[in-house]
Amino acid sequence: MAERLTPRTDEADRSTAAGREEPQIDWSAIEQEAEFQELVRARRSFVIPGTIFFLSWYMGFIVLTALAPDFMGERVYEGLTVGYVLALTQFLMVLVLGIMYLRKSAKEFDPLAEKAIARYVEEHPDDVPGRPGSRFDTPSGDTTTEPEAVR
């Protein structure tokens, strides 16, 4: 029998196979927090200009190919043409943008994310999965509330 591909929405299906309740995190409240907004602004200030640069570079290459075939066919070195060189710079550009994003992420985005998470944990200590004392902190498959000594 095939598995169902649509997401489950009824309350009975919200629990895990082990019988534990899945975490219900208030994402709309997190979106309103100043720390989260700062993270979103910081990421957008990098991603939007990076995307514009990437698309401009790529579309410029396409336009040059269509409008300046003689220029793109100029030989730079033996069989290497301007078109090949510009095509290869597309790969170089993606590599450089990726490295820039990883560095910026490690230095700026990750600390901002940690700050936003810490704020949420501070304000909602009972709603954090994996945190000792959380309402979600029960061993897998253990749905009882009896102390160890009683079992």
Side-chain angles (χ1 to χ4, degrees):
M1 184 173 192
E3 284 188 43
R4 187 165 64 172
L5 296 177
T6 57
R8 297 177 180 177
T9 56
D10 57 353
E11 277 304 311
D13 289 338
R14 289 190 187 262
S15 62
T16 62
R20 293 188 333 180
E21 182 179 344
E22 285 188 17
Q24 298 298 315
I25 298 173
D26 188 3
W27 293 108
S28 60
I30 291 173
E31 286 178 351
Q32 303 306 318
E33 296 291 336
E35 290 81 3
F36 185 79
Q37 292 296 322
E38 184 181 358
L39 172 62
V40 169
R41 272 191 302 277
R43 286 191 63 222
R44 280 187 184 151
S45 71
F46 179 84
V47 170
I48 290 174
T51 302
I52 291 169
F53 173 74
F54 171 80
L55 291 174
S56 299
W57 189 270
Y58 179 74
M59 292 308 294
F61 174 74
I62 299 298
V63 169
L64 272 175
T65 302
L67 300 178
D70 293 336
F71 171 70
M72 296 297 272
E74 288 287 322
R75 291 183 186 267
V76 177
Y77 177 76
E78 294 182 7
L80 191 63
T81 64
V82 172
Y84 281 129
V85 171
L86 290 178
L88 291 173
T89 62
Q90 299 287 323
F91 294 104
L92 181 64
M93 178 194 42
V94 169
L95 178 69
V96 169
L97 282 174
I99 290 170
M100 287 173 60
Y101 181 84
L102 288 174
R103 286 186 178 168
K104 187 134 178 123
S105 177
K107 290 180 182 175
E108 188 175 339
F109 305 151
D110 290 349
L112 287 173
E114 291 295 327
K115 198 167 132 182
I117 292 168
R119 170 86 181 248
Y120 182 80
V121 168
E122 180 181 300
E123 292 180 2
H124 305 89
D126 294 339
D127 293 343
V128 181
R131 182 175 177 165
S134 166
R135 64 186 171 118
F136 304 108
D137 184 40
T138 56
S140 181
D142 183 15
T143 57
T144 63
T145 56
E146 298 176 335
E148 283 291 322
V150 175
R151 288 188 214 152

